[in-house]
């Protein structure tokens, strides 16, 4: 949990300065916190069902973080490639 909290704090500290003029500033940080919640849920899970829910939250938030720049062409194209790769891997 400590490593996850450290990485999340480093990402949010960097992103606070990097994204300060973006339209989706609050949406980005809410999605990062959603990812961190899913990470903690998966780490602290006591059974398979809770682990699965945490894993799904991580997947959904990863998809949303990749698609953060919706209006730009290349990030959206890469998001679609990543989602296809994830579907094939499962």
């Amino acid at each position: 949990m400590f490593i996850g909290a450290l990485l999340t704090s480093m990402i949010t500290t960097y992103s606070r300065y990097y994204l300060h003029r973006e339209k989706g500033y609050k949406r980005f940080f809410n999605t990062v916190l959603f990812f961190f919640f899913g990470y903690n849920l998966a780490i602290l899970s006591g059974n398979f069902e809770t682990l699965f829910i945490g894993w799904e939250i991580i997947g959904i938030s990863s998809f949303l973080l990749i698609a953060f720049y919706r209006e730009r062409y290349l990030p959206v194209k890469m998001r679609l490639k990543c989602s296809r790769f994830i579907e094939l891997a499962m």
Side-chain angles (χ1 to χ4, degrees):
M1 262 180 49
F2 176 73
I3 301 277
L6 180 68
L7 289 174
T8 303
S9 67
M10 289 171 56
I11 289 168
T12 54
T13 302
Y14 172 75
S15 299
R16 190 174 59 184
Y17 297 109
Y18 179 73
L19 297 172
H20 70 280
R21 291 187 180 145
E22 292 289 330
K23 275 191 324 192
Y25 185 78
K26 289 182 182 179
R27 178 173 44 98
F28 175 80
F29 285 103
N30 287 334
T31 310
V32 168
L33 290 177
F34 189 57
F35 181 87
F36 186 62
F37 171 71
Y39 170 79
N40 281 333
L41 192 63
I43 294 296
L44 298 174
S45 64
N47 54 19
F48 182 73
E49 289 82 13
T50 311
L51 175 67
F52 183 74
I53 291 169
W55 185 261
E56 289 298 318
I57 291 173
I58 289 171
I60 291 168
S61 59
S62 295
F63 183 80
L64 292 173
L65 285 169
I66 292 170
F68 179 70
Y69 293 109
R70 296 177 188 158
E71 63 274 357
R72 296 183 188 169
Y73 173 70
L74 287 176
V76 173
K77 183 179 174 184
M78 293 307 294
R79 176 197 61 174
L80 293 174
K81 283 185 180 180
C82 288
S83 64
R84 286 185 196 134
F85 177 73
I86 291 170
E87 288 174 2
L88 292 174
M90 294 186 169

